[in-house]
Amino acid sequence: TQLLEQSPQFLSIQEGENLTVYCNSSSVFSSLQWYRQEPGEGPVLLVTVVTGGEVKKLKRLTFQFGDARKDSSLHITAAQPGDTGLYLCAGANDYKLSFGAGTTVTVRA
Amino acid sequence: GAVVSQHPSWVICKSGTSVKIECRSLDFQATTMFWYRQFPKQSLMLMATSNEGSKATYEQGVEKDKFLINHASLTLSTLTVTSAHPEDSSFYICSALDFSSTDTQYFGPGTRLTVL
């Protein structure tokens, strides 16, 4: 059983469209991290959110951490083919990470 | 960001043999490293926490005698899969915790193990 539930599991959109990925849990985390993973490679950290209600922007990516620090969302504006990949959220407690199942995003040119 | 390397990047072995995978933090010291396993189309599952100079801590359901972990220096942790079987075939990923950088975990590129 995954501690963190990600939705949707798969997302296929046209270049230029927006997308949102959700990460929900019944547990509270000290921080929540978002990663992107390419096939055959390790995950690469995109952002860490720590404070409840926090919003972080990274170019076209916007990350939100819920007020109760149990859920988070990743929003991509004007998606590009280079955004294609597996997006993983991970909750941290005592330095240990619990990963969600991941959302596979495909952006068609 | 900090760099973590893994060696080898892929390995194919016969059933019953042992395989060692190395994880190195290249530009920072890591007293704590983590080992994950990822099956196709699935997420990362934490196997164990590797602590420099002490025994590793294994997650529930992970056999410590099968997956031997050694963290002999501040930059190197090794995972040895002993008497490997086809069901051990997986993508093994390590991460290193950089306490000097807001406690961020940096991940290695992964090692693809195929057991015939």
Side-chain angles (χ1 to χ4, degrees):
Chain A
T1 304
Q2 295 286 158
L3 206 57
L4 285 156
E5 299 291 333
Q6 276 188 246
S7 62
Q9 188 176 358
F10 299 97
L11 197 55
S12 180
I13 60 171
Q14 200 69 33
E15 181 177 7
E17 294 181 340
N18 302 331
L19 69 93
T20 302
V21 178
Y22 299 93
C23 178
N24 297 296
S25 175
S26 57
S27 302
V28 176
F29 295 102
S30 58
S31 69
L32 196 137
Q33 301 171 14
W34 284 93
Y35 293 84
R36 192 174 90 182
Q37 185 180 24
E38 303 286 345
E41 298 180 11
V44 175
L45 179 67
L46 296 175
V47 78
T48 300
V49 284
V50 178
T51 307
E54 182 176 3
V55 176
K56 277 192 176 179
K57 290 193 174 184
L58 190 68
K59 297 184 180 178
R60 293 178 294 101
L61 278 60
T62 302
F63 304 86
Q64 285 189 298
F65 199 16
D67 291 339
R69 298 194 353 252
K70 293 181 179 181
D71 54 85
S72 180
S73 65
L74 157 61
H75 182 80
I76 300 179
T77 304
Q80 299 174 1
D83 295 325
T84 293
L86 176 66
Y87 289 82
L88 296 158
C89 67
N93 274 325
D94 295 330
Y95 306 117
K96 289 170 63 172
L97 294 179
S98 298
F99 280 86
T103 296
T104 300
V105 172
T106 304
V107 182
R108 305 183 305 275
Chain B
V3 180
V4 175
S5 70
Q6 280 185 242
H7 178 81
S9 55
W10 59 270
V11 56
I12 301 173
C13 69
K14 292 183 179 180
S15 186
T17 61
S18 295
V19 174
K20 181 186 284 188
I21 302 170
E22 294 184 348
C23 177
R24 293 181 186 272
S25 57
L26 297 185
D27 49 4
F28 67 100
Q29 294 182 334
T31 55
T32 302
M33 293 183 174
F34 301 90
W35 286 96
Y36 297 83
R37 183 166 54 184
Q38 185 177 32
F39 291 108
K41 308 295 184 185
Q42 295 186 26
S43 188
L44 281 76
M45 296 300 293
L46 179 64
M47 299 175 65
T49 303
S50 172
N51 303 297
E52 187 268 336
S54 64
K55 290 183 179 180
T57 305
Y58 291 82
E59 295 300 302
Q60 191 173 8
V62 178
E63 299 176 57
K64 62 180 177 156
D65 294 330
K66 180 165 185 64
F67 299 99
L68 301 179
I69 291 173
N70 185 276
H71 195 152
S73 78
L74 288 172
T75 59
L76 173 64
S77 175
T78 60
L79 168 69
T80 301
V81 183
T82 62
S83 187
H85 291 284
E87 57 265 31
D88 298 323
S89 299
S90 188
F91 194 49
Y92 291 87
I93 307 173
C94 73
S95 70
L97 187 59
D98 185 1
F99 284 104
S100 68
S101 177
T102 62
D103 307 331
T104 299
Q105 281 190 40
Y106 293 96
F107 284 82
T111 296
R112 172 73 59 193
L113 170 63
T114 302
V115 185
L116 302 176

